[in-house]
Amino acid sequence: MIDFITQIDFSILDFIQQNLRSDFMDSFMVFLSMIGEGGIVWFLIAVPMLFFKKSRTCGVVMILSMCITLLLGEFVLKNIIGRVRPCNLVHDIEMLVKCPRSFSFPSGHTSSSFAAATTIFQWNKKYGVFALILAALVSFSRLYNYVHYPTDVLCGMLFGIFVSLLTYYLIKRYKIENKIENLKFSRKG
């Protein structure tokens, strides 16, 4: 069964390489992977939210969700599963980004992106749609750049969504939201 899934994964990756590569897409996909590295784009969105009472809970949940996906995904799941990246197995692909040294499953870019985007969507549907589109683009860049399998990205997406929903639920369930909204994040000491 695993061999069959891996065969489908490589078929999709090969289709992308053979049919979607272009100079514009190469540059765009490298850029998307770069802004998704370490969730940087999402932290740049979340941190300013902390300074406004109306968006503070969203910013806190985004940061918490991304930290949880990082800890569980990068340090636990990847090391337990130990899936080798496609760029470590296929050497005749022109790599646009350096092949990461960590294991492949699940995609950290994808899980952090969908954790953050799902949180934004729960807070504001209009902004959330744009965030989900950006999360999908960052995730696709990982396939385009040949550093993840489609199943890494799919499971990373589900993992990020789950962590965001659970984090948001727990904050609501234990009535922590009011405490978060009343926190003071200001430049004054």
Side-chain angles (χ1 to χ4, degrees):
M1 180 68 161
I2 301 249
D3 290 338
F4 178 70
I5 292 170
T6 302
Q7 188 177 7
I8 292 172
D9 276 342
F10 273 116
S11 296
I12 294 168
L13 290 175
D14 291 342
F15 176 84
I16 291 168
Q17 292 299 305
Q18 293 165 8
N19 297 292
L20 301 179
R21 291 287 298 258
S22 71
D23 290 341
F24 169 77
M25 287 291 285
D26 287 356
S27 298
F28 187 50
M29 292 298 136
V30 168
F31 170 75
L32 288 169
S33 276
M34 184 185 72
I35 66 169
E37 186 71 35
I40 185 125
V41 69
W42 305 108
F43 280 106
L44 290 173
I45 294 169
V47 169
M49 294 175 121
L50 300 175
F51 293 95
F52 303 97
K53 186 174 183 175
K54 183 178 177 184
S55 61
R56 189 168 295 138
T57 299
C58 181
V60 168
V61 174
M62 283 175 70
I63 292 168
L64 283 173
S65 296
M66 289 187 298
C67 288
I68 292 167
T69 61
L70 172 71
L71 292 172
L72 292 179
E74 293 295 316
F75 301 117
V76 178
L77 293 174
K78 280 190 180 192
N79 291 309
I80 289 172
I81 296 166
R83 189 177 196 190
V84 178
R85 291 178 183 269
C87 53
N88 287 323
L89 297 175
V90 177
H91 301 289
D92 59 349
I93 298 293
E94 178 189 349
M95 293 300 294
L96 302 171
V97 297
K98 189 175 179 184
C99 188
R101 293 182 187 183
S102 63
F103 290 116
S104 186
F105 184 91
S107 167
H109 280 67
T110 301
S111 57
S112 66
S113 291
F114 273 93
T118 301
T119 302
I120 294 170
F121 187 79
Q122 291 176 96
W123 172 68
N124 182 301
K125 304 290 186 252
K126 182 172 69 171
Y127 297 142
V129 168
F130 292 110
L132 289 168
I133 291 168
L134 179 58
L137 289 170
V138 168
S139 301
F140 180 74
S141 77
R142 306 308 283 164
L143 301 175
Y144 188 94
N145 290 326
Y146 218 81
V147 294
H148 278 292
Y149 301 96
T151 47
D152 298 343
V153 168
L154 175 63
C155 292
M157 178 185 77
L158 296 173
F159 179 54
I161 291 169
F162 173 76
V163 168
S164 172
L165 294 174
L166 180 63
T167 304
Y168 199 76
Y169 167 78
L170 291 172
I171 283 176
K172 289 279 193 187
R173 170 76 172 90
Y174 293 102
K175 299 177 178 35
I176 301 170
E177 187 172 22
N178 290 338
K179 292 175 184 171
I180 292 171
E181 287 174 358
N182 291 319
L183 288 174
K184 301 289 184 221
F185 290 94
S186 68
R187 287 178 257 174
K188 297 178 182 176

